[in-house]
Amino acid sequence: GANSWNYNVVAAASDVVTLTVAGGVATFAGLAVQLVASGVEAADRFALWGGAGNDLLDASAVAGRVDLSGEAGHDTLLGAG
């Protein structure tokens, strides 16, 4: 489509959050509630924010644009590179 979307997710505590994208569906697993977005396109951007705590933010399986920010705590950030 002509529009791109930004998906921003903030982890609230010491979380393990995994982002996967397959078949136009993005899934953020490991939060208090699993977040699923459909209709995802190549131009869409994702952002995972660690917030407070010692988080593991894993977007290593995503080929598109992902911004990872650890914020406060001792965080581990995994991207596709």
Coordinates of all heavy atoms in Angstrom, one line a residue:
G1 N 0.8 -1.2 0.0 CA 0.0 0.0 0.0 C 0.9 1.2 0.0 O 2.1 1.2 0.1
A2 N 0.2 2.4 -0.1 CA 0.9 3.7 -0.1 C 1.4 4.1 1.2 O 2.2 5.0 1.4 CB 0.0 4.7 -0.8
N3 N 0.8 3.6 2.3 CA 1.1 4.0 3.6 C 2.0 3.0 4.3 O 1.9 1.9 4.1 CB -0.2 4.2 4.5 CG -1.1 5.2 3.9 OD1 -0.7 6.3 3.5 ND2 -2.4 4.9 3.9
S4 N 2.9 3.6 5.2 CA 3.6 2.7 6.1 C 3.2 3.0 7.5 O 2.7 4.1 7.8 CB 5.1 2.9 5.9 OG 5.5 4.2 6.3
W5 N 3.4 2.0 8.4 CA 3.0 2.2 9.8 C 4.2 2.0 10.7 O 5.1 1.3 10.3 CB 1.9 1.1 10.1 CG 0.6 1.3 9.4 CD1 0.3 0.8 8.1 CD2 -0.5 2.1 9.8 NE1 -0.9 1.3 7.8 CE2 -1.4 2.1 8.8 CE3 -0.7 2.9 10.9 CZ2 -2.6 2.7 8.9 CZ3 -1.9 3.6 11.0 CH2 -2.9 3.5 10.0
N6 N 4.1 2.6 11.8 CA 5.1 2.4 12.9 C 4.5 1.6 14.0 O 3.4 2.0 14.5 CB 5.6 3.8 13.4 CG 6.4 4.5 12.4 OD1 7.2 4.0 11.7 ND2 6.2 5.8 12.4
Y7 N 5.1 0.6 14.4 CA 4.6 -0.2 15.5 C 5.6 -0.1 16.7 O 6.7 -0.4 16.5 CB 4.5 -1.7 15.1 CG 3.6 -2.0 14.0 CD1 4.0 -1.9 12.7 CD2 2.2 -2.3 14.2 CE1 3.1 -2.2 11.6 CE2 1.3 -2.5 13.2 CZ 1.8 -2.5 11.9 OH 0.9 -2.7 10.9
N8 N 5.1 0.5 17.8 CA 6.0 0.8 18.9 C 5.5 0.0 20.1 O 4.4 0.1 20.5 CB 6.0 2.3 19.2 CG 6.5 3.1 18.1 OD1 7.6 3.0 17.6 ND2 5.6 4.0 17.6
V9 N 6.4 -0.7 20.7 CA 6.1 -1.6 21.9 C 7.1 -1.3 23.0 O 8.3 -1.3 22.8 CB 6.1 -3.1 21.5 CG1 5.9 -3.9 22.7 CG2 5.0 -3.3 20.4
V10 N 6.5 -1.1 24.2 CA 7.4 -0.9 25.4 C 7.2 -2.0 26.4 O 6.1 -2.3 26.8 CB 7.0 0.5 26.1 CG1 7.8 0.7 27.3 CG2 7.1 1.6 25.1
A11 N 8.3 -2.6 26.8 CA 8.3 -3.6 27.8 C 8.3 -2.9 29.2 O 9.0 -2.0 29.4 CB 9.5 -4.6 27.7
A12 N 7.4 -3.4 30.1 CA 7.2 -2.7 31.3 C 8.2 -3.2 32.5 O 8.4 -2.4 33.4 CB 5.8 -2.9 31.8
A13 N 8.7 -4.3 32.4 CA 9.5 -4.9 33.5 C 10.7 -5.7 32.9 O 11.0 -5.5 31.7 CB 8.7 -5.7 34.4
S14 N 11.2 -6.6 33.6 CA 12.2 -7.5 33.1 C 11.6 -8.6 32.2 O 11.1 -9.6 32.7 CB 13.0 -8.2 34.2 OG 13.8 -7.2 34.9
D15 N 11.5 -8.3 30.9 CA 10.7 -9.1 30.0 C 11.6 -9.7 28.9 O 12.7 -9.2 28.6 CB 9.7 -8.2 29.2 CG 8.6 -7.7 30.1 OD1 8.0 -8.5 30.9 OD2 8.4 -6.5 30.1
V16 N 11.1 -10.8 28.3 CA 11.7 -11.4 27.1 C 10.7 -11.2 26.0 O 9.6 -11.8 26.0 CB 12.1 -12.9 27.3 CG1 12.6 -13.5 26.0 CG2 13.0 -13.1 28.5
V17 N 11.0 -10.3 25.1 CA 10.0 -9.9 24.0 C 10.6 -10.4 22.7 O 11.8 -10.0 22.4 CB 9.7 -8.4 24.0 CG1 8.7 -8.1 22.9 CG2 9.2 -8.0 25.4
T18 N 9.9 -11.1 21.9 CA 10.3 -11.6 20.6 C 9.4 -11.1 19.6 O 8.1 -11.2 19.7 CB 10.3 -13.1 20.6 OG1 11.1 -13.6 21.6 CG2 10.8 -13.7 19.3
L19 N 9.9 -10.5 18.5 CA 9.2 -10.0 17.4 C 9.4 -10.9 16.2 O 10.6 -11.2 15.9 CB 9.6 -8.6 17.0 CG 9.1 -8.0 15.7 CD1 7.6 -7.9 15.7 CD2 9.7 -6.6 15.4
T20 N 8.4 -11.4 15.6 CA 8.5 -12.2 14.4 C 7.5 -11.6 13.3 O 6.5 -11.0 13.7 CB 8.1 -13.7 14.6 OG1 6.8 -13.8 15.2 CG2 9.1 -14.3 15.5
V21 N 7.9 -11.7 12.1 CA 7.0 -11.2 11.0 C 7.0 -12.3 9.9 O 8.0 -12.8 9.5 CB 7.5 -9.9 10.4 CG1 6.6 -9.5 9.2 CG2 7.6 -8.8 11.4
A22 N 5.8 -12.8 9.6 CA 5.6 -13.9 8.6 C 4.3 -13.7 7.9 O 3.3 -13.5 8.6 CB 5.8 -15.2 9.2
G23 N 4.2 -13.8 6.6 CA 3.0 -13.7 5.9 C 2.2 -12.5 6.1 O 0.9 -12.6 6.2
G24 N 2.8 -11.4 6.3 CA 2.1 -10.1 6.6 C 1.5 -10.0 8.0 O 0.7 -9.1 8.3
V25 N 2.0 -10.8 8.9 CA 1.6 -10.8 10.3 C 2.8 -10.6 11.2 O 3.7 -11.3 11.1 CB 0.8 -12.0 10.7 CG1 0.4 -12.0 12.2 CG2 -0.4 -12.2 9.8
A26 N 2.7 -9.5 12.1 CA 3.8 -9.3 13.1 C 3.2 -9.8 14.4 O 2.1 -9.4 14.8 CB 4.1 -7.8 13.1
T27 N 4.1 -10.5 15.1 CA 3.7 -11.0 16.5 C 4.8 -10.5 17.5 O 5.9 -10.8 17.3 CB 3.6 -12.5 16.5 OG1 2.7 -12.9 15.5 CG2 3.2 -13.0 17.8
F28 N 4.3 -9.9 18.5 CA 5.1 -9.5 19.7 C 4.8 -10.4 20.8 O 3.7 -10.3 21.4 CB 4.9 -8.1 20.1 CG 5.2 -7.0 19.1 CD1 4.3 -6.6 18.1 CD2 6.4 -6.4 19.1 CE1 4.6 -5.7 17.2 CE2 6.7 -5.4 18.1 CZ 5.8 -5.1 17.2
A29 N 5.6 -11.4 21.1 CA 5.4 -12.4 22.1 C 6.2 -12.1 23.3 O 7.3 -11.5 23.2 CB 5.7 -13.8 21.6
G30 N 5.7 -12.4 24.5 CA 6.5 -12.3 25.8 C 6.0 -11.1 26.6 O 6.5 -10.9 27.7
L31 N 5.0 -10.3 26.1 CA 4.4 -9.3 26.9 C 3.3 -9.8 27.8 O 3.0 -11.0 27.6 CB 3.9 -8.2 26.0 CG 4.9 -7.5 25.0 CD1 4.2 -6.8 23.9 CD2 5.8 -6.6 25.8
A32 N 2.7 -9.0 28.6 CA 1.6 -9.5 29.4 C 0.4 -10.0 28.5 O -0.3 -10.9 28.8 CB 1.1 -8.4 30.3
V33 N 0.3 -9.3 27.4 CA -0.7 -9.7 26.4 C 0.0 -9.8 25.0 O 0.8 -9.0 24.7 CB -1.8 -8.6 26.2 CG1 -2.8 -9.0 25.1 CG2 -2.5 -8.5 27.5
Q34 N -0.2 -10.9 24.3 CA 0.5 -11.1 23.0 C -0.2 -10.1 22.0 O -1.4 -10.0 21.9 CB 0.3 -12.5 22.5 CG 1.0 -12.7 21.1 CD 1.1 -14.1 20.7 OE1 1.6 -15.0 21.4 NE2 0.5 -14.5 19.6
L35 N 0.7 -9.4 21.3 CA 0.2 -8.4 20.3 C 0.5 -8.9 18.9 O 1.6 -9.3 18.6 CB 1.0 -7.1 20.5 CG 0.7 -5.9 19.6 CD1 -0.7 -5.5 19.6 CD2 1.7 -4.8 19.8
V36 N -0.6 -8.9 18.1 CA -0.5 -9.4 16.7 C -1.1 -8.3 15.8 O -2.1 -7.8 16.1 CB -1.3 -10.7 16.6 CG1 -1.3 -11.2 15.1 CG2 -0.8 -11.8 17.5
A37 N -0.3 -8.0 14.8 CA -0.7 -7.0 13.8 C -0.8 -7.7 12.4 O 0.2 -8.3 12.0 CB 0.2 -5.8 13.8
S38 N -1.9 -7.5 11.7 CA -1.9 -8.1 10.4 C -1.8 -7.0 9.3 O -2.0 -5.8 9.6 CB -3.3 -8.9 10.2 OG -4.4 -8.0 10.4
G39 N -1.6 -7.4 8.1 CA -1.5 -6.4 7.0 C -0.1 -5.7 7.0 O 0.0 -4.6 6.5
V40 N 0.9 -6.3 7.6 CA 2.2 -5.7 7.7 C 2.8 -5.7 6.3 O 2.7 -6.7 5.6 CB 3.1 -6.5 8.7 CG1 4.5 -6.0 8.7 CG2 2.5 -6.3 10.1
E41 N 3.5 -4.6 5.9 CA 4.2 -4.5 4.7 C 5.6 -4.2 4.8 O 6.1 -3.8 5.9 CB 3.5 -3.4 3.8 CG 2.1 -3.6 3.6 CD 1.4 -2.5 2.8 OE1 2.1 -1.5 2.6 OE2 0.2 -2.7 2.4
A42 N 6.4 -4.4 3.8 CA 7.9 -4.2 3.8 C 8.3 -2.8 4.3 O 9.3 -2.7 5.0 CB 8.5 -4.5 2.5
A43 N 7.5 -1.8 4.0 CA 7.8 -0.4 4.4 C 7.5 -0.1 5.9 O 7.9 0.9 6.4 CB 7.1 0.6 3.5
D44 N 6.8 -1.0 6.6 CA 6.5 -0.8 8.0 C 7.7 -0.8 8.9 O 8.7 -1.5 8.6 CB 5.4 -1.8 8.5 CG 4.1 -1.6 7.7 OD1 3.9 -0.6 7.1 OD2 3.3 -2.5 7.8
R45 N 7.7 0.0 10.0 CA 8.8 0.0 10.9 C 8.3 -0.5 12.3 O 7.2 -0.3 12.7 CB 9.3 1.5 11.1 CG 9.9 2.0 9.8 CD 10.3 3.5 10.0 NE 11.0 3.7 11.2 CZ 11.5 4.8 11.6 NH1 11.2 5.9 10.9 NH2 12.1 5.0 12.7
F46 N 9.2 -1.1 13.0 CA 9.0 -1.6 14.3 C 9.9 -1.0 15.3 O 11.1 -0.8 15.0 CB 9.1 -3.1 14.4 CG 8.2 -3.8 13.4 CD1 8.6 -4.1 12.1 CD2 6.9 -4.1 13.8 CE1 7.7 -4.8 11.2 CE2 6.0 -4.8 12.9 CZ 6.4 -5.1 11.6
A47 N 9.5 -0.8 16.5 CA 10.4 -0.3 17.6 C 10.0 -1.0 18.9 O 8.9 -1.2 19.3 CB 10.2 1.2 17.8
L48 N 11.1 -1.6 19.5 CA 10.9 -2.2 20.8 C 11.7 -1.5 21.8 O 12.9 -1.2 21.6 CB 11.4 -3.7 20.7 CG 10.7 -4.7 19.9 CD1 11.4 -6.0 19.8 CD2 9.3 -4.9 20.4
W49 N 11.1 -1.1 22.9 CA 11.7 -0.3 24.0 C 11.8 -1.1 25.2 O 10.8 -1.7 25.6 CB 10.9 1.0 24.2 CG 10.8 1.9 23.0 CD1 9.9 1.7 22.0 CD2 11.6 3.0 22.7 NE1 10.1 2.7 21.1 CE2 11.2 3.5 21.4 CE3 12.7 3.5 23.3 CZ2 11.8 4.5 20.8 CZ3 13.3 4.6 22.6 CH2 12.8 5.1 21.4
G50 N 12.9 -1.2 25.9 CA 13.1 -2.0 27.0 C 12.4 -1.5 28.3 O 12.0 -2.3 29.1
G51 N 12.3 -0.2 28.4 CA 11.8 0.3 29.7 C 12.7 -0.1 30.9 O 13.8 -0.4 30.7
A52 N 12.1 -0.1 32.1 CA 12.9 -0.4 33.3 C 13.1 -1.9 33.3 O 12.2 -2.7 32.8 CB 12.2 0.1 34.5
G53 N 14.1 -2.4 33.9 CA 14.3 -3.8 34.1 C 15.4 -4.4 33.2 O 16.0 -3.7 32.4
N54 N 15.7 -5.6 33.3 CA 16.7 -6.3 32.5 C 16.0 -7.1 31.5 O 15.6 -8.2 31.7 CB 17.5 -7.2 33.4 CG 18.2 -6.5 34.6 OD1 18.6 -5.3 34.4 ND2 18.3 -7.1 35.7
D55 N 15.9 -6.5 30.3 CA 15.0 -7.1 29.2 C 15.9 -7.8 28.2 O 17.1 -7.5 28.0 CB 14.3 -6.0 28.5 CG 13.4 -5.2 29.5 OD1 12.5 -5.8 30.1 OD2 13.6 -4.0 29.6
L56 N 15.3 -8.8 27.5 CA 15.8 -9.4 26.3 C 14.9 -9.0 25.2 O 13.7 -9.4 25.2 CB 15.9 -10.9 26.4 CG 16.2 -11.6 25.1 CD1 17.6 -11.3 24.6 CD2 16.1 -13.1 25.3
L57 N 15.3 -8.2 24.2 CA 14.5 -7.8 23.1 C 15.1 -8.5 21.8 O 16.2 -8.3 21.4 CB 14.5 -6.3 22.9 CG 14.1 -5.5 24.1 CD1 14.2 -4.0 23.8 CD2 12.7 -5.9 24.6
D58 N 14.3 -9.4 21.3 CA 14.8 -10.3 20.2 C 14.0 -10.0 18.9 O 12.8 -10.4 18.8 CB 14.7 -11.8 20.6 CG 15.2 -12.7 19.5 OD1 15.7 -12.2 18.5 OD2 15.2 -13.9 19.8
A59 N 14.6 -9.4 17.9 CA 14.0 -9.2 16.6 C 15.0 -9.8 15.5 O 15.0 -9.3 14.4 CB 13.9 -7.7 16.4
S60 N 15.7 -10.8 15.9 CA 16.7 -11.4 15.0 C 16.1 -12.1 13.8 O 16.8 -12.3 12.8 CB 17.6 -12.4 15.8 OG 16.8 -13.4 16.4
A61 N 14.8 -12.4 13.9 CA 14.2 -13.1 12.7 C 13.5 -12.1 11.8 O 12.9 -12.6 10.8 CB 13.2 -14.1 13.3
V62 N 13.6 -10.8 12.0 CA 12.9 -9.8 11.2 C 13.9 -9.2 10.2 O 14.9 -8.6 10.6 CB 12.3 -8.8 12.1 CG1 11.6 -7.7 11.2 CG2 11.3 -9.4 13.1
A63 N 13.5 -9.3 8.9 CA 14.4 -8.7 7.9 C 14.1 -7.2 7.7 O 15.0 -6.5 7.1 CB 14.1 -9.4 6.5
G64 N 13.0 -6.7 8.1 CA 12.7 -5.3 7.9 C 13.3 -4.4 8.9 O 14.2 -4.7 9.7
R65 N 12.8 -3.1 9.0 CA 13.4 -2.1 9.8 C 12.9 -2.3 11.3 O 11.7 -2.2 11.5 CB 12.9 -0.7 9.3 CG 13.2 0.4 10.2 CD 14.6 1.0 9.9 NE 15.0 2.1 10.9 CZ 14.9 3.4 10.7 NH1 14.4 3.8 9.6 NH2 15.2 4.2 11.6
V66 N 13.8 -2.4 12.2 CA 13.5 -2.6 13.6 C 14.4 -1.7 14.4 O 15.7 -1.8 14.2 CB 13.6 -4.0 14.1 CG1 13.3 -4.1 15.6 CG2 12.7 -5.0 13.3
D67 N 13.9 -0.8 15.3 CA 14.7 0.0 16.2 C 14.6 -0.7 17.6 O 13.5 -0.9 18.0 CB 14.2 1.4 16.2 CG 14.3 2.1 14.9 OD1 15.3 1.9 14.2 OD2 13.4 2.9 14.5
L68 N 15.7 -1.0 18.2 CA 15.8 -1.5 19.5 C 16.4 -0.5 20.5 O 17.4 0.0 20.2 CB 16.6 -2.8 19.5 CG 16.1 -3.9 18.6 CD1 17.1 -5.1 18.6 CD2 14.7 -4.4 19.1
S69 N 15.8 -0.3 21.6 CA 16.3 0.5 22.7 C 16.2 -0.1 24.0 O 15.1 -0.4 24.4 CB 15.6 1.9 22.6 OG 16.1 2.7 23.6
G70 N 17.3 -0.3 24.7 CA 17.3 -1.0 26.0 C 16.8 -0.2 27.1 O 16.2 -0.7 28.0
E71 N 17.0 1.2 27.1 CA 16.5 2.0 28.2 C 17.2 1.6 29.5 O 18.3 1.1 29.5 CB 15.0 2.0 28.3 CG 14.3 2.5 27.1 CD 14.6 3.9 26.6 OE1 14.6 4.8 27.5 OE2 14.8 4.1 25.4
A72 N 16.6 1.8 30.7 CA 17.2 1.5 32.0 C 17.3 0.0 32.2 O 16.5 -0.8 31.8 CB 16.3 2.1 33.1
G73 N 18.4 -0.4 32.9 CA 18.6 -1.8 33.2 C 19.7 -2.4 32.4 O 20.4 -1.7 31.6
H74 N 19.9 -3.7 32.5 CA 21.0 -4.4 31.8 C 20.2 -5.2 30.7 O 19.7 -6.3 31.0 CB 21.8 -5.3 32.7 CG 22.5 -4.5 33.7 ND1 23.7 -3.8 33.4 CD2 22.3 -4.3 35.0 CE1 24.1 -3.2 34.5 NE2 23.2 -3.5 35.5
D75 N 20.1 -4.7 29.5 CA 19.3 -5.3 28.5 C 20.2 -6.0 27.4 O 21.3 -5.7 27.2 CB 18.5 -4.2 27.8 CG 17.6 -3.5 28.8 OD1 16.9 -4.2 29.5 OD2 17.6 -2.3 28.8
T76 N 19.6 -7.0 26.8 CA 20.2 -7.7 25.6 C 19.3 -7.4 24.4 O 18.1 -7.6 24.5 CB 20.2 -9.2 25.9 OG1 21.0 -9.5 27.1 CG2 20.9 -9.9 24.7
L77 N 20.0 -6.9 23.4 CA 19.2 -6.5 22.1 C 19.7 -7.4 21.0 O 20.9 -7.5 20.7 CB 19.5 -5.1 21.8 CG 19.3 -4.1 22.9 CD1 19.7 -2.7 22.4 CD2 17.9 -4.1 23.4
L78 N 18.8 -8.1 20.3 CA 19.2 -9.0 19.2 C 18.5 -8.5 18.0 O 17.2 -8.5 17.9 CB 18.8 -10.4 19.6 CG 19.4 -11.0 20.8 CD1 18.8 -12.4 21.1 CD2 20.9 -11.1 20.7
G79 N 19.2 -8.2 17.0 CA 18.7 -7.8 15.7 C 19.2 -8.6 14.6 O 20.1 -9.4 14.8
A80 N 18.6 -8.5 13.4 CA 19.0 -9.3 12.2 C 20.4 -8.8 11.6 O 21.0 -9.5 10.9 CB 17.9 -9.3 11.2
G81 N 20.7 -7.6 11.9 CA 22.0 -7.1 11.5 C 21.9 -6.6 10.1 O 22.7 -6.3 9.4

